[in-house]
Amino acid sequence: MEAFKLMKELKSNFDQEINYLPKEAGLVLIESTQENGRGISAKCRNAKVEDLWSLTNFFGYSTQTFVLAVNLLDRFLAMMKVQPKHLACISIGCLHIAAKVVEQECNISSTHELIRISQSKFTVSDLSRMEKIISEKLNFQFKAVTALTFLHLYHAIALSHTSDRKEVLNQDKLEAQLRACICRIVFSKAKSSVLALSLLTLEIEALQSVDMLEIAQRVQRHLKISESELQHWRGLVAQCISEYSSPECSKPDHKKLVWIVSRRTAQNLHSSYYSVPDLPTIPEGGWDESESSDDWYEDASSGEESLSSSLGSDAEGPYFPMHYRCQSQKNPTF
């Protein structure tokens, strides 16, 4: 019964996937654009997607958020003529939209944080306007059917036939391979269902599981995916995974994400962290009841007030990302 429901859901998503694929003509135009030209080149797009993955890691977003953000970005770029100087604002806008669709509200970083951590030069109002443009151009179709949708369904279908394969077919590994693929624009031209099936069958072959390969072939026949189309994308996926696994491959650099503060804030932070606060001396003879305890508490707390104010003195919004604050609220320190 569960397998039947999964196959029905699979067919439904397969019928809808065409509505969420980027226009191939637009993708071809990006691939043919020179790197120093007026439009967005493939290298420029790929680099920006890798930046999105770094930001996804930093803010603790899920793979689903990242995959959806890339889908929104490619769909927008494939239908609009975009200048390179606007790409940063567009990509961050897509990530913010995706986070609002996928993540819990308390885990969504503010626009201030996104701009500050990504080291972007545009303003909050610029980002808000860009998100509105993206939303209108994509007809507010945010809950897209992506390759990750099919990857999860294929994985569930394989597990529904037997319970002893949970430890064999590693979903996290498949997701990691998918992330590596979508960092390259060539895979945006693949149907989501075919890209996911390519990843699945390659992993099954590596495991040398005859039973699961039969299940994958059954899925292929159910969706009427041609063998030539599957083999074409399997070859490209295998090449991508091989190159990405090599030490020569340049992977997204998470160390690029550093805090940038103004000179005024840096001076406040420096004085707050490294100077010894002036606290009142406690008499050796014990506590003098004649002294006001309220006055002592006010003096002692002044150091803490200067520290917290200096952390947020340079910009609006909190100093630390939103998901850190949510975690601290869920796990208070006593």
Side-chain angles (χ1 to χ4, degrees):
M1 185 64 184
E2 183 186 357
F4 177 78
K5 281 181 63 178
L6 287 170
M7 294 298 278
K8 187 176 180 181
E9 184 181 354
L10 177 63
K11 188 63 170 67
S12 174
N13 282 285
F14 181 76
D15 293 337
Q16 295 178 52
E17 75 171 327
I18 192 171
N19 299 321
Y20 303 101
L21 294 176
K23 293 181 178 179
E24 187 171 355
L27 296 176
V28 171
L29 182 62
I30 293 174
E31 287 183 315
S32 63
T33 301
Q34 297 297 320
E35 193 172 332
N36 297 323
R38 296 180 62 183
I40 303 298
S41 66
K43 185 176 181 179
C44 187
R45 175 267 180 200
N46 293 348
K48 195 54 62 178
V49 170
E50 290 186 353
D51 288 344
L52 287 184
W53 175 234
S54 295
L55 289 170
T56 299
N57 272 337
F58 182 87
F59 288 110
Y61 291 159
S62 65
T63 296
Q64 185 180 355
T65 297
F66 171 65
V67 173
L68 178 57
V70 176
N71 176 268
L72 298 176
L73 177 64
D74 285 337
R75 284 160 57 195
F76 185 81
L77 294 179
M79 68 168 59
M80 302 292 294
K81 289 184 177 179
V82 175
Q83 296 182 33
K85 64 180 181 180
H86 296 143
L87 184 57
C89 190
I90 295 169
S91 61
I92 298 298
C94 289
L95 180 62
H96 197 218
I97 292 171
K100 288 187 283 188
V101 172
V102 176
E103 305 292 336
Q104 294 182 357
E105 187 175 354
C106 69
N107 293 332
I108 301 173
S109 301
S110 69
T111 51
H112 297 278
E113 292 167 349
L114 278 172
I115 293 171
R116 181 165 52 184
I117 299 304
S118 64
Q119 303 176 24
S120 301
K121 297 180 180 179
F122 50 83
T123 65
V124 171
S125 59
D126 291 335
L127 184 59
S128 298
R129 285 196 300 272
M130 185 58 72
E131 286 184 30
K132 182 180 179 182
I133 294 171
I134 295 169
S135 301
E136 291 174 350
K137 293 299 180 182
L138 299 182
N139 296 319
F140 297 90
Q141 294 180 333
F142 300 142
K143 295 184 178 180
V145 176
T146 65
L148 187 66
T149 308
F150 288 102
L151 203 58
H152 287 171
L153 282 171
Y154 294 157
H155 188 263
I157 290 169
L159 296 184
S160 69
H161 286 78
T162 181
S163 59
D164 61 358
R165 292 187 183 125
K166 283 189 177 180
E167 301 299 324
V168 177
L169 200 58
N170 191 326
Q171 182 170 301
D172 291 337
K173 181 180 179 181
L174 290 170
E175 288 186 5
Q177 292 174 344
L178 175 61
R179 292 193 297 267
C181 287
I182 65 175
C183 283
R184 303 185 179 192
I185 193 172
V186 64
F187 292 103
S188 299
K189 295 190 290 184
K191 292 180 181 177
S192 301
S193 55
V194 178
L195 177 57
L197 191 59
S198 299
L199 287 162
L200 184 76
T201 53
L202 284 170
E203 181 63 15
I204 290 174
E205 282 189 5
L207 296 171
Q208 298 181 340
S209 173
V210 177
D211 292 339
M212 282 193 286
L213 187 58
E214 184 180 337
I215 295 170
Q217 290 171 346
R218 196 181 308 168
V219 168
Q220 181 184 349
R221 290 193 296 269
H222 182 71
L223 299 180
K224 298 179 180 178
I225 297 174
S226 69
E227 185 65 22
S228 60
E229 183 179 16
L230 181 61
Q231 290 301 325
H232 169 73
W233 288 108
R234 270 169 51 93
L236 292 176
V237 168
Q239 181 182 356
C240 173
I241 294 173
S242 176
E243 292 175 355
Y244 198 81
S245 302
S246 68
E248 292 81 13
C249 177
S250 176
K251 300 178 178 63
D253 184 5
H254 308 309
K255 294 181 180 179
K256 290 180 181 177
L257 299 176
V258 295
W259 291 100
I260 302 295
V261 296
S262 69
R263 183 180 303 172
R264 178 169 60 112
T265 300
Q267 290 173 346
N268 288 336
L269 286 172
H270 183 81
S271 60
S272 298
Y273 280 119
Y274 297 104
S275 62
V276 179
D278 295 328
L279 298 177
T281 303
I282 300 176
E284 293 183 4
W287 179 257
D288 187 351
E289 296 293 339
S290 64
E291 292 186 20
S292 171
S293 60
D294 290 337
D295 291 343
W296 183 88
Y297 177 79
E298 184 177 348
D299 290 339
S301 65
S302 63
E304 293 180 1
E305 288 174 359
S306 64
L307 174 61
S308 61
S309 63
S310 67
L311 287 174
S313 63
D314 184 49
E316 297 178 293
Y319 184 76
F320 292 104
M322 181 72 72
H323 71 279
Y324 292 142
R325 299 197 305 280
C326 291
Q327 290 173 0
S328 64
Q329 290 170 3
K330 293 178 184 175
N331 304 295
T333 303
F334 295 98

